[in-house]
Amino acid sequence: MKEKLLRAYEAMKAGDFASDLVKETAEEIKALPRNGFGVFDLSSVSDNIFEAGSYVYPVYMLYETKANGKKGYMDLMAQLRTLSLQYDHDSSLKNAAFYLDMMVKCIDAISQEIYELYRELISMFRARMKGALMMAEGESGTAVRLIGASVEKACDMDIILAEKYIDTAKALQEA
């Protein structure tokens, strides 16, 4: 399913919201079973909920924003809030990388017109970014590079101060 999610995400980023691939993927996401907290059971994507979330939630957010009239925003936000709380109890370098990747992509996909939700996502990202940067300090590897890429994207999107974080982001991407 990862490959299909990636293809759907790229198609939507390119402006294709009406293809069968996009529609099928969105329907498959909505049909996913849920756990006791109301969050999608993402085990069909990855054993790591944050890795799976980095594939599923940006696709779902982009679809809701561009093709479904933002009808699923409340469900999406409830799930992202729950995942943020879960991350707080299960933070690791790998989880931090996937969490930040998921959140920055969701922020990029949400309509800024729904300002309260947009700001809430930014707050969730910022609150956990600093801890992720501390975890990444002195480390190397794929997770560190993904943290760096997510922070750089946040700088590019003006959701964090580039003057303060861009050098750190670039250094992490070289780790």
Side-chain angles (χ1 to χ4, degrees), residues 109-161:
I110 195 170
S111 172
Q112 292 182 23
E113 296 168 356
I114 315 297
Y115 188 73
E116 299 82 17
L117 301 181
Y118 173 73
R119 293 298 306 166
E120 184 178 355
L121 286 179
I122 290 173
S123 294
M124 285 188 253
F125 177 88
R126 286 179 179 165
R128 288 151 185 98
M129 180 194 73
K130 291 177 185 175
L133 291 174
M134 287 191 294
M135 278 190 270
E137 191 174 327
E139 300 290 332
S140 63
T142 305
V144 172
R145 289 189 294 276
L146 184 55
I147 290 170
S150 298
V151 171
E152 182 176 11
K153 184 170 182 162
C155 289
D156 293 345
M157 293 168 52
D158 293 324
I159 60 175
I160 57 173
L161 291 174

Side-chain angles (χ1 to χ4, degrees), residues 2 11 19 27 37 42 45 59 62 64 88 107 111 118 142 144 146-147 154 169 175:
K2 277 185 196 177
S19 71
E27 291 307 315
F37 299 104
L42 301 174
V45 179
V59 170
L62 198 52
E64 287 299 325
D88 292 343
I107 293 165
S111 172
Y118 173 73
T142 305
V144 172
L146 184 55
I147 290 170

Side-chain angles (χ1 to χ4, degrees), residues 30-156:
K30 291 179 191 181
L32 286 169
R34 295 179 185 243
N35 66 22
F37 299 104
V39 175
F40 292 136
D41 174 354
L42 301 174
S43 59
S44 64
V45 179
S46 172
D47 290 337
N48 181 307
I49 192 167
F50 301 106
E51 178 182 8
S54 72
Y55 289 94
V56 171
Y57 290 101
V59 170
Y60 188 22
M61 182 69 79
L62 198 52
Y63 177 79
E64 287 299 325
T65 300
K66 300 292 186 179
N68 202 36
K70 305 169 189 75
K71 295 175 190 166
Y73 269 16
M74 292 303 121
D75 175 50
L76 254 165
M77 291 301 295
Q79 290 191 57
L80 291 172
R81 286 181 198 111
T82 301
L83 284 172
S84 293
L85 293 172
Q86 184 172 346
Y87 170 77
D88 292 343
H89 296 290
D90 192 15
S91 60
S92 67
L93 188 60
K94 183 178 178 180
N95 287 351
F98 289 126
Y99 176 84
L100 292 181
D101 181 56
M102 172 184 72
M103 293 304 290
V104 79
K105 287 176 181 175
C106 285
I107 293 165
D108 190 35
I110 195 170
S111 172
Q112 292 182 23
E113 296 168 356
I114 315 297
Y115 188 73
E116 299 82 17
L117 301 181
Y118 173 73
R119 293 298 306 166
E120 184 178 355
L121 286 179
I122 290 173
S123 294
M124 285 188 253
F125 177 88
R126 286 179 179 165
R128 288 151 185 98
M129 180 194 73
K130 291 177 185 175
L133 291 174
M134 287 191 294
M135 278 190 270
E137 191 174 327
E139 300 290 332
S140 63
T142 305
V144 172
R145 289 189 294 276
L146 184 55
I147 290 170
S150 298
V151 171
E152 182 176 11
K153 184 170 182 162
C155 289
D156 293 345

